[in-house]
Amino acid sequence: MTGFKKTPADSKMISQSMMLDRRQLLLGAAGAATLSVASGFGIRPARAADRTEISFASASFFGKEGLGDLVKAFNESQSRVTVKFIELPPPSSSTEVYQGLVQQLARRNGTPDVFSQDVIWIAGFAAAGWALPLDEYFPKDKRAEYFPGTVAACTYGGKLTALPWFVDSGMFYYRKDLVEKHGGKVPETWADMATIAAEAQKAGDAKFGYLWQGKQAEVLICDAVEIIASNGGSILSADGKSSVIGDDAAVEAIQFLYDTINKTKVSPQNVLSWDEEPSRQPFTSGEAMFMRNWSYVYPIAQDPKASHVVDKVAVAPLPHFAGGKSAACLGGYQLGINANSKKREAAIEFLTWMSSPETQTRLALNFGLAPSRPAIFQDAKLKAEQPFMASLQSVFTGATPRPITPQYAKVTLALQSSISKALVSGNVKAELQAAATQINKIVG
């Protein structure tokens, strides 16, 4: 501009402007976005020290990317909070993950600020005073955006102590070709399932009618929770202070499992020593008509290198007893905040982001982890890229948590022993009533 005379103040302003231009050139657009204006031309870059640093401990989940990539994405999405990822063993080593979390939370020093947890640990962590109640941050209208069963599993003592993240549940696998041949309709009741399975076996179309997991392990409790709930029963009373597993509804349900081996004979005796993989293998090799298992089985069933039933398998909600409704044992990991965290607001911001629709969609697409928000199952991209997962909304709607008690570790061992004895001996009522007596001493 002609006739412009620079003053000392003007020179200072121009110098600051040139410094800003150089910073922008060096940092790029992302770096420039972090520059903040204090006043006038008092511009400085946002330093790491300007951010609130929190820690996040979780089992290691992998897919097209790792969990560390997800944390990095959050750190780059805003300039207020930096999350340090504390990587624990993979979820297949759940005992080690659990021990790692317990050791850290028991110190009560606020580290980690945020953590992920298997759904069966929620009550124990809450009872120990390690998990921050979240009700004020996520009121009822926000909780309504998740599957009800997941919210129930995240609630202890009437308080929300975890936020839903991703889910899994038991589901009913079936051979489409065999169902079409034997009636054309997927059975909705356990009685119909046993009848159709027996027909397929008699016709020589299936070596096994129904495969499930009867090994004396945690998976046996998952199978038991499902079939008992599908008959309107439960393991603990509504207040969690007594056991009702000796009641008629539970006895009838476990009796049905015993009968699949010894009466209707749609299940082999071997199921009593099988967990997930031994029961999966005969199904994907084409020897069985129906199977109860988790979502991981589906991609294996569609892999020509590992399966003889490619394009012949589908999934439906598990059957139920007459007058009951389908129930699926809830699995998956949920999010919690350390009750001793000194950076709660930053932790809440990260927790909200991790459980948001956008992040849950990313988990579904890149990690194969199913959303805990029903609305995401209608996402067009999810339907296109993960059609199997998109079809599971009705399965997860019936997701039922395992007994919600801080004494779960003791309760599950008592249940595993008693239910296993019932399935071997056939003395179902006596064994379940004995289990109820033992559990009452644990939770009473």
Side-chain angles (χ1 to χ4, degrees):
M1 179 183 296
T2 58
F4 178 78
K5 183 178 181 181
K6 291 190 290 184
T7 66
D10 294 328
S11 298
K12 183 178 180 181
M13 289 171 61
I14 293 170
S15 175
Q16 289 173 327
S17 179
M18 291 173 65
M19 289 174 63
L20 175 58
D21 288 340
R22 286 195 295 271
R23 287 175 184 169
Q24 290 174 328
L25 182 63
L26 290 170
L27 295 173
T34 65
L35 296 174
S36 60
V37 180
S39 62
F41 284 88
I43 301 171
R44 61 180 175 81
R47 300 167 299 176
D50 296 326
R51 291 180 174 228
T52 301
E53 183 174 302
I54 62 173
S55 54
F56 170 53
S58 176
S60 302
F61 296 95
F62 293 95
K64 295 178 182 178
E65 60 181 340
L67 203 53
D69 298 309
L70 203 63
V71 172
K72 182 180 179 182
F74 169 77
N75 288 339
E76 294 176 348
S77 72
Q78 42 69 54
S79 58
R80 297 172 297 279
V81 181
T82 297
V83 177
K84 178 184 177 182
F85 179 38
I86 301 173
E87 187 172 7
L88 299 176
S92 57
S93 302
S94 61
T95 300
E96 289 80 1
V97 176
Y98 175 76
Q99 291 172 343
L101 283 174
V102 168
Q103 289 170 2
Q104 294 182 56
L105 294 171
R107 296 189 183 110
R108 299 183 184 273
N109 62 5
T111 301
D113 297 277
V114 180
F115 55 92
S116 73
Q117 56 194 314
D118 191 309
V119 69
I120 61 174
W121 306 336
I122 292 173
F125 288 173
W130 298 339
L132 179 72
L134 303 172
D135 304 76
E136 65 177 290
Y137 304 102
F138 304 99
K140 287 185 178 180
D141 61 327
K142 295 295 183 184
R143 283 174 257 169
E145 297 173 1
Y146 299 94
F147 286 112
T150 316
V151 174
C154 289
T155 303
Y156 176 72
K159 296 180 179 179
L160 187 75
T161 60
L163 190 66
W165 194 26
F166 69 85
V167 299
D168 198 358
S169 75
M171 50 194 69
F172 190 55
Y173 285 85
Y174 64 94
R175 284 277 300 278
K176 294 186 289 185
D177 55 331
L178 298 186
V179 166
E180 184 64 30
K181 184 175 180 180
H182 295 276
K185 183 181 178 183
V186 180
E188 295 183 5
T189 67
W190 289 112
D192 286 347
M193 184 281 293
T195 298
I196 296 170
E199 289 175 358
Q201 286 177 292
K202 186 176 180 180
D205 294 324
K207 180 178 180 181
F208 307 121
Y210 177 55
L211 301 180
W212 49 283
Q213 300 82 37
K215 182 179 180 179
Q216 187 174 328
E218 182 63 27
V219 70
L220 173 60
I221 306 310
C222 296
D223 286 49
V225 163
E226 292 165 347
I227 200 161
I228 291 171
S230 76
N231 200 29
S234 62
I235 292 171
L236 293 183
S237 58
D239 62 9
K241 296 181 179 179
S242 63
S243 176
V244 291
I245 195 171
D247 290 2
D248 290 345
V251 171
E252 183 181 3
I254 300 302
Q255 183 68 50
F256 175 83
L257 289 180
Y258 175 83
D259 288 347
T260 64
I261 301 169
N262 300 283
K263 185 178 179 180
T264 59
K265 300 185 185 298
V266 294
S267 303
Q269 186 77 27
N270 287 345
V271 295
L272 296 180
S273 63
W274 285 354
D275 53 19
E276 289 89 344
E277 272 298 275
S279 63
R280 188 273 303 170
Q281 291 165 0
F283 184 81
T284 53
S285 68
E287 296 180 289
M289 184 177 192
F290 299 118
M291 177 185 65
R292 178 266 174 216
N293 218 311
W294 306 94
S295 61
Y296 85 95
V297 171
Y298 189 82
I300 298 176
Q302 301 304 326
D303 181 0
K305 296 179 181 178
S307 171
H308 291 94
V309 291
V310 175
D311 296 329
K312 295 180 180 180
V313 174
V315 173
L318 285 156
H320 55 79
F321 288 88
K325 60 181 182 180
S326 176
C329 184
L330 178 69
Y333 271 62
Q334 319 309 329
L335 299 165
I337 290 182
N338 192 333
N340 295 288
S341 172
K342 300 173 180 62
K343 303 167 184 177
R344 291 184 179 180
E345 295 304 320
I348 288 292
E349 182 171 348
F350 178 59
L351 198 76
T352 302
W353 186 90
M354 285 289 277
S355 186
S356 67
E358 294 77 16
T359 304
Q360 287 201 18
T361 301
R362 181 171 177 170
L363 283 167
L365 294 172
N366 293 351
F367 292 79
L369 302 173
S372 55
R373 295 172 174 270
I376 297 177
F377 289 83
Q378 305 306 316
D379 182 83
K381 190 171 183 182
L382 182 66
K383 288 183 176 181
E385 296 187 23
Q386 296 272 14
F388 166 68
M389 186 181 293
S391 72
L392 295 179
Q393 182 174 350
S394 62
V395 174
F396 294 142
T397 298
T400 303
R402 278 160 277 181
I404 299 175
T405 169
Q407 301 299 325
Y408 183 80
K410 295 179 181 178
V411 168
T412 186
L413 290 178
L415 285 171
Q416 289 173 31
S417 176
S418 295
I419 296 175
S420 181
K421 289 177 183 177
L423 292 172
V424 171
S425 69
N427 299 322
V428 177
K429 188 168 186 176
E431 291 294 349
L432 295 191
Q433 288 180 339
T437 299
Q438 186 177 359
I439 294 169
N440 285 336
K441 293 177 181 178
I442 297 172
V443 302

